[in-house]
Amino acid sequence: MTAMGESSLQSLGYGDEAGPDSRGLFQQREGWGSLVDRMDPTASATLFFQALIAVGDWQSLEPTIAAHRVQGNADPFH
């Protein structure tokens, strides 16, 4: 769901106005890891899921809210 919203499941090599350094399936910024990892679907998904597990009570949240807490999007319903 998150990767579909961020990149339509394409490993994008460019960002947008909100995140010019965002890359990959999850449009992860530099703080997430190396460019190589952010562009690799397996590595970027692993980074996302590791961050998701760190969100308290993530399993009881609406999926969009859990994703927002991981991604920090301006719109929690993106």
Side-chain angles (χ1 to χ4, degrees):
M1 174 196 79
T2 303
M4 287 184 71
E6 294 288 348
S7 68
S8 298
L9 297 179
Q10 298 177 53
S11 194
L12 301 176
Y14 56 88
D16 57 20
E17 187 176 321
D21 60 338
S22 298
R23 300 291 185 271
L25 291 175
F26 293 88
Q27 286 291 279
Q28 294 160 322
R29 300 188 76 181
E30 290 177 343
W32 281 89
S34 71
L35 178 58
V36 170
D37 284 347
R38 291 180 291 143
M39 290 299 293
D40 177 81
T42 301
S44 64
T46 298
L47 292 168
F48 176 84
F49 288 120
Q50 287 171 338
L52 177 65
I53 290 169
V55 171
D57 206 24
W58 67 270
Q59 294 165 315
S60 67
L61 299 172
E62 290 181 53
T64 188
I65 300 300
H68 169 69
R69 292 196 183 162
V70 172
Q71 296 289 100
N73 294 334
D75 178 1
F77 298 99
H78 173 74

